[in-house]
Amino acid sequence: MKGPLFYSKILLFGEYGIIKDSKGLSIPYNFYNGALKMDENPSEEAIKSNKSLKGFVDYLSNIDAELVSFDIDVLQKHVDKGMYFDSSIPQGYGVGSSGALVAAIYDKYAQDKITVLENLTREKLLKLKSIFSEMESFFHGKSSGLDPLNSYLSIPILINSKDNIEATGIPSQKSEGKGAVFLLDSGITGETAPMVHIFMENMKQEGFRKMLKDQFIKHTDACVDDFLKGDIKSLFSNTKQLSKVVLNHFKPMIPKQFHELWKKGIETNEYYLKLCGSGGGGYILGFTENIDVAQKSLKDYKLEVVYNF
């Protein structure tokens, strides 16, 4: 048995901000994917994944049936037989490994599911988002539901606010363009829950809340608008501001060994770095007006280009 593929995602803009109603823009990233599988001779990874699915089944059987119900008996039977999630999506890297798993389980076992083929009204998108939020909370403690939504639909999603999301189109890529969005591999795994905890603790301080609203959310919203309009000049100016705000106020989310590299980008304008997901490790997202210059400057690191301007 092998199920359909579900892809990883990248939240280009909106990390942390979307918890407090900033705009956000999330795009599918087809480089990584995962699918539900069964094997006669499971690997060590498969056995580990299967074990985690056992806990997930228990969790899903207690979800409010008003929200969503599953063919739990069939799911249980498959998991008992050794079903696992075969995934190339790195875990703890901010590209949605648990989101893809949630999407795959919903797709195969949810009853009365909302499908990708129907007319996706705002109501349906929000319903899916709240179902996925509930499902993914098993892995993170608190989830917006956006990662699985992106993975399930495999289309860019624009978050206008918590209760206002829509499928969107993004400007088509220019393959010969020098401008690029890239992923920088930090080489360490990040965990979402402790990072979100730090953020929530910081939110108790009035100064932090003010900074979030007046600086972080302001520049995030501007970046989303610039990106969708294709206003590259303004986009880089706002991304630079955003990179500064993150360096000044989200230090715990940036692995220590990247503080100087982060600063260097802002000072030289060769690239600007920002968080990819909750931070703490995994990937760091980079924006550059000239990928050749950025690659030279970051030659000691592994870069993956995800989008060309």
Side-chain angles (χ1 to χ4, degrees):
M1 157 190 158
K2 186 174 183 320
L5 287 178
F6 289 90
Y7 296 107
S8 50
K9 69 88 195 61
I10 294 173
L11 184 63
L12 278 185
F13 301 105
E15 70 291 343
Y16 291 107
I18 53 175
I19 299 177
K20 293 292 158 205
D21 256 8
S22 79
K23 286 192 177 189
L25 181 64
S26 185
I27 61 171
Y29 182 41
N30 300 356
F31 189 72
Y32 297 118
N33 55 55
L36 292 167
K37 264 189 185 176
M38 275 192 219
D39 280 348
E40 292 296 311
N41 303 306
S43 66
E44 214 171 296
E45 278 293 298
I47 292 166
K48 206 169 116 190
S49 165
N50 173 261
K51 202 173 156 192
S52 138
L53 277 179
K54 286 184 172 141
F56 194 33
V57 175
D58 295 341
Y59 174 82
L60 293 180
S61 55
N62 292 311
I63 279 186
D64 181 2
E66 287 289 299
L67 182 66
V68 60
S69 53
F70 299 91
D71 293 324
I72 289 289
D73 296 346
V74 180
L75 173 56
Q76 186 72 62
K77 200 170 83 191
H78 287 168
V79 169
D80 290 345
K81 274 189 177 162
M83 183 175 77
Y84 66 101
F85 191 59
D86 182 28
S87 165
S88 66
I89 307 169
Q91 288 189 352
Y93 261 66
V95 284
S97 54
S98 55
L101 166 59
V102 165
I105 294 283
Y106 176 83
D107 179 64
K108 191 162 174 62
Y109 300 101
Q111 294 171 327
D112 305 320
K113 68 176 184 186
I114 295 168
T115 70
V116 185
L117 300 171
E118 54 197 89
N119 177 18
L120 288 166
T121 59
R122 185 171 294 167
E123 282 67 38
K124 283 180 186 167
L125 283 173
L126 284 171
K127 171 96 197 261
L128 272 174
K129 183 173 173 282
S130 55
I131 289 169
F132 289 149
S133 163
E134 194 64 33
M135 288 174 74
E136 200 182 32
S137 292
F138 171 75
F139 299 99
H140 291 322
K142 181 170 166 52
S143 158
S144 67
L146 272 173
D147 287 6
L149 183 65
N150 210 289
S151 193
Y152 184 63
L153 301 175
S154 231
I155 47 178
I157 291 166
L158 170 64
I159 303 108
N160 292 303
S161 66
K162 264 201 205 70
D163 305 322
N164 181 352
I165 55 176
E166 55 185 299
T168 187
I170 57 175
S172 56
Q173 299 202 48
K174 298 187 172 58
S175 52
E176 70 294 338
K178 286 265 189 243
V181 181
F182 60 86
L183 292 173
L184 175 75
D185 189 346
S186 74
I188 45 182
T189 306
E191 282 200 39
T192 300
M195 293 297 131
V196 172
H197 178 71
I198 293 170
F199 175 77
M200 289 309 196
E201 283 301 305
N202 286 343
M203 284 300 289
K204 291 175 182 170
Q205 301 160 19
E206 196 191 334
F208 187 84
R209 290 199 301 272
K210 188 168 162 30
M211 173 281 303
L212 197 78
K213 183 167 160 280
D214 298 347
Q215 297 176 46
F216 189 82
I217 289 178
K218 183 181 116 182
H219 295 305
T220 296
D221 288 0
C223 283
V224 172
D225 293 341
D226 291 342
F227 187 86
L228 291 175
K229 283 199 305 243
D231 186 343
I232 304 306
K233 195 167 180 290
S234 180
L235 172 68
F236 279 102
S237 151
N238 279 304
T239 305
K240 180 176 184 173
Q241 295 308 319
L242 194 54
S243 187
K244 272 188 202 167
V245 172
V246 173
L247 184 60
N248 292 333
H249 300 281
F250 289 79
K251 271 234 168 70
M253 287 77 167
I254 305 170
K256 275 196 180 57
Q257 59 273 43
F258 289 92
H259 290 183
E260 280 308 310
L261 205 66
W262 203 285
K263 203 163 118 206
K264 183 186 156 196
I266 294 165
E267 286 168 357
T268 60
N269 296 316
E270 291 173 342
Y271 56 84
Y272 305 123
L273 300 179
K274 63 185 291 298
L275 297 173
C276 179
S278 55
Y283 284 121
I284 292 167
L285 204 52
F287 285 73
T288 178
E289 293 188 75
N290 188 326
I291 189 63
D292 300 338
V293 171
Q295 271 167 330
K296 210 171 280 172
S297 188
L298 299 165
K299 63 180 187 307
D300 300 335
Y301 300 89
K302 210 170 95 203
L303 298 194
E304 283 171 36
V305 173
V306 296
Y307 189 91
N308 285 97
F309 296 111

